[in-house]
Amino acid sequence: MKKISMRIILVFFISFVFCSENEKYIFKNKSLSAGYKSEYNYEGELSFNIPGVGYIQYGSYLNQIKEYLGKEGEFHKMQLTYTDMKTDNKVGNEEVENNFWLAMNDVPCYLYIDSAGWVDHIEPAKKEHDYLLDAFEQEYINSGKHNFFDPFGMVHNNITAKAVGESWITTFDSLRILITTNSPISYASGKNTYTLKKVKKKSGRKIAYINSIQELNVDSNVYIDFMGGGKYIVGKTKGIIDYKIQWDIEAGELLYRRLVGVSYGDFEMDGEYFTTRFDERRIYKKLK
C-alpha cells in the first residue's frame, strides 16, 4: 500500500511540473494600483577611455522608494524618492561629483503617468524644490523610457502569452537616453530578444526568470567634466547588453534586474578622432 501511495504522489508531482512548464504568461506591471509601495537598491557603473584624458568612470549608487498615490484627473500619480545617494566618478586622476544630481537626495517628486503607462510630466513634491525639475526630468524622462504598465512590451506589440523556453522580440527607435546624467540627449535604436527561462515558486509566489539580449545602436553625445571645464565627445556606438531578470508574476513587479553590456564606437573630440569601448554594469533589486 505504501508503494502504491508513493507512485501516486510521484505521478502527481511529475504532472504538476509538466503543467507548470506549459503555462503561458503575459507580464504586466501592477505598480499603478492602490496601496503599492516598494523600495529598490540601485548600483550602476559606466567606464571608458579617451585619448589625452585617460580612464573615465561614472558610478551611481542609491535606494529608490516608489509609492502609488492614486488617480489625479486623467493621470496616475506616483511618488518617487531617491535616498542614500552616492557617486564614484573619476576622470583621469580626478574625482568628480555631480552635485546637481546629488541634490535630489531625500527629495520626493511626483510622476504623472498617462493611460498608456508613459510618464507625461513631473513635479517636485514641494515648491521649494522646483529648481530640481530639470534634474528630475533628466533622471525619469530623458534617461530612457520606462513603461509603468508594459515593461516587456508584450501588450503594446500584441505579443501572445509565453511558456517556459519561448522568446519574443521588441524593437525601439529614436529612444532618448542620457549616457551620463549631465550629457546632452543621445538617441538609441535596437532590438530586445526576451526568453522566459523558467518559472518557479519562491515563498509561495511564482517567479519568472527572464533573459534578454539587447542589440543597441546609439548616436552618442557625452559630456565629460575635466580640469574645471568640460569636453564633449560625439559619435556612434554599437553594443550588446545582457539582462538577467526576476519578475514576481502575481504581484506584477520587478524583483531583480542585472545588466552587463559592452559597446564600441568611433568618436570625435576637439577635431580628433578615436575609437573607444564602453563597459556598463547595473543592478536593480527589490528591498521590500
Side-chain angles (χ1 to χ4, degrees):
M1 190 68 183
K2 287 183 179 179
K3 289 183 179 179
I4 293 173
S5 298
M6 286 301 294
R7 284 176 185 167
I8 292 171
I9 291 169
L10 183 59
V11 169
F12 174 78
F13 178 73
I14 292 171
S15 300
F16 175 77
V17 173
F18 178 78
C19 290
S20 295
E21 288 183 349
N22 282 273
E23 286 186 54
K24 292 181 178 286
Y25 306 93
I26 289 180
F27 303 108
K28 298 179 183 179
N29 198 325
K30 298 179 182 177
S31 62
L32 300 183
S33 56
Y36 178 85
K37 184 174 182 178
S38 289
E39 184 173 353
Y40 289 85
N41 176 258
Y42 170 82
E43 298 179 4
E45 294 175 358
L46 174 71
S47 62
F48 52 99
N49 282 278
I50 294 181
V53 177
Y55 176 77
I56 296 170
Q57 173 185 291
Y58 290 98
S60 302
Y61 315 94
L62 55 89
N63 289 339
Q64 181 193 67
I65 301 170
K66 303 166 66 174
E67 183 176 3
Y68 181 64
L69 302 180
K71 291 287 292 289
E72 187 169 302
E74 62 184 303
F75 298 109
H76 294 272
K77 188 175 181 180
M78 177 78 75
Q79 179 173 290
L80 270 70
T81 309
Y82 282 177
T83 67
D84 303 308
M85 296 175 70
K86 300 180 182 70
T87 61
D88 185 13
N89 301 336
K90 297 181 177 67
V91 178
N93 295 320
E94 291 186 53
E95 291 193 6
V96 180
E97 281 196 350
N98 186 339
N99 292 316
F100 188 51
W101 184 78
L102 290 171
M104 293 191 296
N105 191 53
D106 288 326
V107 178
C109 72
Y110 299 140
L111 273 60
Y112 293 87
I113 301 158
D114 65 25
S115 58
W118 301 109
V119 176
D120 181 85
H121 63 282
I122 294 172
E123 291 180 358
K126 297 180 179 179
K127 292 292 291 181
E128 65 193 75
H129 296 129
D130 281 354
Y131 71 97
L132 289 172
L133 179 59
D134 286 345
F136 287 129
E137 288 181 344
Q138 277 194 315
E139 189 66 20
Y140 298 123
I141 296 180
N142 294 337
S143 61
K145 286 282 190 177
H146 171 75
N147 192 289
F148 281 82
F149 284 141
D150 188 24
F152 299 100
M154 299 185 81
V155 177
H156 177 74
N157 293 283
N158 296 314
I159 292 168
T160 57
K162 299 300 178 185
V164 170
E166 293 186 327
S167 300
W168 68 98
I169 293 173
T170 64
T171 60
F172 54 95
D173 190 26
S174 301
L175 180 70
R176 294 155 57 104
I177 65 171
L178 296 178
I179 295 174
T180 65
T181 55
N182 54 355
S183 290
I185 292 171
S186 297
Y187 292 91
S189 61
K191 179 173 76 172
N192 297 307
T193 302
Y194 298 98
T195 302
L196 178 55
K197 302 298 288 186
K198 62 183 176 181
V199 174
K200 70 177 189 179
K201 283 201 169 182
K202 183 184 287 188
S203 301
R205 307 189 72 83
K206 286 184 179 180
I207 309 302
Y209 292 75
I210 301 167
N211 289 2
S212 174
I213 300 294
Q214 183 179 87
E215 301 170 39
L216 181 66
N217 303 299
V218 183
D219 291 326
S220 302
N221 299 288
V222 186
Y223 176 81
I224 300 156
D225 296 297
F226 183 61
M227 298 183 68
K231 289 184 177 290
Y232 290 92
I233 65 172
V234 179
K236 295 181 181 292
T237 62
K238 289 187 175 183
I240 299 293
I241 315 296
D242 180 23
Y243 290 84
K244 306 291 185 189
I245 300 164
Q246 294 177 27
W247 182 266
D248 187 325
I249 295 172
E250 291 155 89
E253 68 174 344
L254 181 70
L255 298 180
Y256 175 86
R257 180 177 65 226
R258 178 183 66 86
L259 76 82
V260 177
V262 177
S263 299
Y264 295 88
D266 296 316
F267 283 86
E268 182 269 332
M269 180 183 72
D270 296 339
E272 296 185 10
Y273 295 85
F274 61 95
T275 299
T276 194
R277 163 178 163 159
F278 289 81
D279 290 281
E280 186 174 14
R281 181 188 69 88
R282 298 184 190 178
I283 296 175
Y284 190 70
K285 59 185 177 182
K286 188 173 186 292
L287 299 177
K288 58 185 178 179

